[in-house]
Amino acid sequence: MTQRVWNFSAGPGVLPLPVLEEAQRDLLALPGAGASVLEISHRSKRFDAIIQEAESNLRQLLNIPDDYHVLFLQGGASLQFAMVPMNLLGDGSADYLITGSWGQKAYKEAQLVGKARTVWNGKDENFTRTPRPDEYAIAPEARYVHFTANETIQGVVFPSEPTVGDVPLVCDMSSNFLSMPIDVRQYALIYAGAQKNAGPAGVTIVILRDDLLARVPDNLPAMLNYRVQAENKSLYNTPPVFAIYIVMLVTRWLLHTIGGLERMEQINREKARLLYEVIDQSEGFYRGHAHPDHRSIMNVTWRLPSEALEQQFLHEAQARGLHELKGHRSVGGCRASIYNAMPIEGVQALRAFMLEFMAQHR
Ligand SMILES: *Cc1c(COP(=O)(O)O)cnc(C)c1O
């Protein structure tokens, strides 16, 4: 096999090896089909079985109630920044909690579509935490509240859902989707680009409560209309068939190899602990970006004493097979994305390197 490195990429992120192996094995022909998943009709029985299994695996993993639709759309999470307000805003206004770069982008897009209001913005604190419920006031008449569960660039996570009363809660869950169990009932709409934790780029998963569809205006282009997409079960046009197939394999892996999201969360918490412990015990050599109560178990962000040392750290890490650890240019420093598919051995290798590097340079 080709040598694989420990890949800490923030996205597209690492995929489970057994999933890649199965996709490779069946790439030329799905068992019994005589053709690749890339070459068969999206309206064939075989593809129907794939998209249905992807949906039913997601329903099982997340315990999605029957009155929620599961959609497989294109355009990435970034298109959802616009589709959410196009479908849900009407003449009203929406409230945005901004805890990092992605939330900021979502808010900007909403402003292009209609009325949006920032109810909390962590920018002045350099996006190091999420707000307490007493720090923001949601307008009871807001059409929805939008938040980013896990800010991928800053490594900042909401420890629990924001408190929004009866206002529908909309969540960009791109970078911690399927990392742990959630109570879907608390949300009106969840969206997630698959390429962080659920599959490859090209498909975006949207989970939305049925009653929201009544709000969708009639004059939206079909592709941007949740009602059209739901009525057509994501098959209004040719969907991203290969990406959906990989999501099917990833969710199958989560269910049958990992054993569900409770187990996945335990593993993820242990992986994150291994890194945060080094940061916390480094006496300031490594400085975590996020406040300890708000730090992500998917994207671990930290700085070193100088940019020169950061460069050296990244360079030596790469030589050890620890790749893609450079932080986003807007934050600097280092970032280890330790999505579901990152094996604990990869995190242990990074931890050992961090300890060694600190011993040499402190
Ligand atoms: C990566 C990411 C996005 C953007 O996703 P695209 O699919 O590239 O549009 C949006 N939100 C979050 C939280 C992300 O991590």
Side-chain angles (χ1 to χ4, degrees), residues 122-362:
K123 191 163 194 260
D124 293 344
E125 293 176 46
N126 204 15
F127 294 132
T128 48
R129 67 180 184 99
T130 68
R132 296 184 310 272
D134 65 352
E135 292 179 285
Y136 55 88
I138 302 298
E141 70 280 7
R143 301 305 305 266
Y144 61 85
V145 178
H146 182 281
F147 78 110
T148 312
N150 183 75
E151 281 285 359
T152 322
I153 289 174
Q154 282 79 15
V156 167
V157 73
F158 272 84
S160 59
E161 287 82 0
T163 308
V164 298
D166 292 332
V167 179
L169 188 58
V170 172
C171 179
D172 175 359
M173 209 176 275
S174 295
S175 51
N176 62 351
F177 187 62
L178 301 178
S179 68
M180 59 181 185
I182 49 163
D183 176 12
V184 174
R185 277 258 169 255
Q186 298 206 33
Y187 301 83
L189 189 151
I190 294 167
Y191 62 90
Q195 72 274 18
K196 308 290 163 62
N197 219 11
V203 66
T204 304
I205 294 152
V206 176
I207 299 168
L208 85 165
R209 207 172 56 216
D210 183 60
D211 63 278
L212 294 182
L213 296 181
R215 296 191 189 184
V216 176
D218 291 326
N219 62 353
L220 282 183
M223 284 298 288
L224 302 177
N225 184 316
Y226 287 137
R227 195 164 51 230
V228 171
Q229 296 287 4
E231 280 168 359
N232 289 278
K233 301 202 163 300
S234 310
L235 297 172
Y236 173 77
N237 76 330
T238 316
V241 290
F242 192 70
I244 292 169
Y245 164 71
I246 301 290
V247 169
M248 185 272 280
L249 293 180
V250 169
T251 50
R252 195 190 268 176
W253 171 80
L254 279 169
L255 272 174
H256 304 302
T257 305
I258 298 297
L261 296 189
E262 261 129 47
R263 180 68 191 127
M264 193 70 254
E265 177 176 12
Q266 282 176 350
I267 297 169
N268 286 332
R269 288 205 181 277
E270 175 58 13
K271 288 189 292 183
R273 191 193 64 79
L274 287 173
L275 299 183
Y276 286 123
E277 189 178 79
V278 172
I279 291 171
D280 290 344
Q281 295 180 356
S282 74
E283 293 168 3
F285 183 78
Y286 296 118
R287 281 171 295 125
H289 175 80
H291 185 282
D293 296 338
H294 305 252
R295 52 199 188 184
S296 170
I297 59 168
M298 295 278 98
N299 312 97
V300 179
T301 49
W302 72 93
R303 305 293 311 245
L304 275 77
S306 70
E307 282 188 22
L309 270 180
E310 284 170 354
Q311 286 309 318
Q312 193 181 341
F313 178 91
L314 293 169
H315 188 77
E316 288 181 21
Q318 170 112 359
R320 300 262 197 120
L322 301 161
H323 285 224
E324 303 281 342
L325 286 166
K326 191 169 164 40
H328 190 271
R329 58 191 181 279
S330 62
V331 175
C334 303
R335 169 175 56 175
S337 295
I338 48 174
Y339 296 123
N340 288 348
M342 168 57 67
I344 196 154
E345 291 78 10
V347 177
Q348 283 161 342
L350 173 57
R351 176 185 159 100
F353 173 66
M354 287 173 79
L355 290 169
E356 201 180 299
F357 190 87
M358 177 169 65
Q360 280 168 7
H361 296 280
R362 186 152 59 182

Side-chain angles (χ1 to χ4, degrees), residues 1-7 12-30 37-38 194-201 242-243 245-254 257 340-343:
M1 197 188 73
T2 318
Q3 185 67 37
R4 281 170 63 81
V5 298
W6 297 122
N7 172 15
V14 59
L15 285 165
L17 186 57
V19 164
L20 295 176
E21 286 169 340
E22 180 165 350
Q24 180 185 45
R25 207 162 50 238
D26 293 348
L27 185 64
L28 298 186
L30 284 173
V37 64
L38 292 163
Q195 72 274 18
K196 308 290 163 62
N197 219 11
F242 192 70
Y245 164 71
I246 301 290
V247 169
M248 185 272 280
L249 293 180
V250 169
T251 50
R252 195 190 268 176
W253 171 80
L254 279 169
T257 305
N340 288 348
M342 168 57 67

